[in-house]
Structures are given as structure tokens and as C-alpha cells.
Amino acid sequence: MTNSPSQPIRVMLVDDHAMVRRGLATFLMVFDDFKLVGEAENGEIAIQRCAEVLPDVILMDMVMPGLDGATATRAIRQQFPQVQVIALTSFKEGKLIKSALEAGAIGYLLKDVAADDLAWAIRAAHSGRATLSPEAAQVLVETANQPPAPGLDLTEREREVLLLMVEGLNNTQIAGKLTVSSSTIKSHVSNILSKLGVTSRTEAVTLALRQGLVA
């Protein structure tokens, strides 16, 4: 419990599971400074309902059929920038966390969060302060510390050469196809191997196919 402000924080729930929404609704009733003003079972309805009830804070599931949570969050934040969104989900994949935060979510919590921690996060979001679950924060740190995927720094010409390598052409054939000298192609191939961190054409081709570096 907390001392009730002059106006309770208006909260909306978005989750495709009715039992989850029911549990969260019961949780909100415990605190006298929260008021449940709306529910939605998917992203499309969330956007419509948000326009109708204008909540202060939305607890948004990320993985839902139809419009997902990140897309709904982005649309809501663009239309109603005063509405804060907390991603509340069972998933802690780096890509999901990143997409939620990039969409404008102010928090990212897992559904096993303690009631007091969730209450604190809602109040923090209402005040414009971000909250990340420890697990989400750890994933973001690990993601930030990962080296960039190989091949991102290839030039357009190097990608062309790599594609022809994948097709099985040798340096002379690639040179003829691109109407440049064999020595130029040899230089490109050397740069490709270096940038991909491999030592042979076979490794380069294997990595290119595995990483989807060529279309």
C-alpha cells in the first residue's frame, strides 16, 4: 500500500491470456493508488482502447497473435506520447527487449516479477522513470558486449565478389564477370577473408551462407 495521490494512476492491461489479465486486475485492486481503466487482448484492440480511456500506464504483453506488443507500443507512443508503456512478458530474448525499448517502452519486466516491484515500476513509469528487470538488464549488457556479426563491414563490391565466390567462380572468372583485373579481385578476396575472420575461400563461402550475407 502507499499513500493515495489526489488521482490514482490509471492503468490498462494488454495480454492475450484472460487469466493473466484477471491476475493483474486483482493485483491492481490491492493498491489504492492504482485504477484499472481498460483491458485488451491484442495490439489492435490496445490502440483503440487506449484512445478511449487514455491510461497513464499500460502493462503490455510483447508476444500476442496479430499485432505484437512492440508494434502496438510504437503506435500508442506516437499517438499518445503522454502514455507510458511497461513491457510485461515471459520472454527475455535480447531482440525482444531491444524492440520493446526502441518502440518506446519505458520498462521491461518479466511476468514472475514480485507484486511490490511491479507496483514500484508502475509508479516509476508514471513519473517518467525507466525500470528494467535484472534479467533484461543482464541480457542487454551481454548483447552490447558481443562482437558485431562478421561481414557487416563488407563493401558493396566485396559483397558482389563474395556472391560470385558462393556461386563457385574462381578469381579469373570473377574478374571477367566484373570486368576488372585478376589482381583487383585477388585484393578483394583478401579483404573479404580478413573481414570475415577466415583463412580460406571455402570458409568464407560457408560463413556467407550460414550468416545470410549474400542473397
Side-chain angles (χ1 to χ4, degrees):
M1 290 283 185
T2 185
N3 292 330
S4 178
S6 55
Q7 293 290 330
I9 299 171
R10 297 163 55 80
V11 181
M12 188 171 99
L13 309 175
V14 183
D15 198 291
D16 57 320
H17 291 103
M19 289 300 293
V20 172
R21 297 198 308 274
R22 189 175 304 169
L24 289 170
T26 303
F27 149 78
L28 291 173
M29 290 171 59
V30 174
F31 298 89
D32 54 13
D33 59 334
F34 299 150
K35 179 181 180 182
L36 176 61
V37 295
E39 297 184 28
E41 59 266 31
N42 60 47
E44 291 95 341
I45 295 174
I47 296 168
Q48 297 168 14
R49 198 66 40 82
C50 183
E52 295 165 3
V53 302
L54 284 177
D56 298 312
V57 177
I58 297 175
L59 299 182
M60 177 80 74
D61 190 16
M62 285 291 106
V63 180
M64 297 178 286
L67 204 66
D68 63 47
T71 306
T73 296
R74 180 174 283 103
I76 287 170
R77 291 287 296 157
Q78 286 173 348
Q79 295 178 47
F80 313 101
Q82 76 279 17
V83 177
Q84 298 290 1
V85 179
I86 296 174
L88 185 63
T89 181
S90 305
F91 303 92
K92 54 182 179 182
E93 284 82 3
K95 187 181 290 187
L96 204 58
I97 299 168
K98 198 163 178 285
S99 65
L101 298 180
E102 286 175 350
I106 198 169
Y108 196 102
L109 299 174
L110 299 181
K111 286 180 178 176
D112 60 0
V113 62
D116 285 343
D117 291 339
L118 180 54
W120 187 90
I122 293 171
R123 296 183 191 113
H126 187 232
S127 301
R129 300 194 309 276
T131 307
L132 283 179
S133 73
E135 296 91 343
Q138 181 64 32
V139 169
L140 286 180
V141 169
E142 290 170 359
T143 303
N145 289 334
Q146 283 178 353
L152 295 180
D153 54 350
L154 290 176
T155 65
E156 201 60 44
R157 177 59 95 180
E158 287 164 354
R159 287 182 184 277
E160 286 182 75
V161 173
L162 181 57
L163 175 57
L164 294 173
M165 288 166 61
V166 169
E167 291 177 0
L169 276 63
N170 61 32
N171 284 5
T172 304
Q173 292 168 321
I174 294 173
K177 192 123 180 168
L178 299 179
T179 59
V180 296
S181 69
S182 292
S183 60
T184 298
I185 295 302
K186 186 177 180 182
S187 175
H188 283 319
V189 172
S190 176
N191 288 339
I192 290 168
L193 298 186
S194 174
K195 289 180 178 180
L196 295 184
V198 297
T199 57
S200 72
R201 296 170 72 97
T202 303
E203 286 181 86
V205 168
T206 302
L207 184 63
L209 292 171
R210 194 167 65 231
Q211 299 281 352
L213 299 179
V214 291

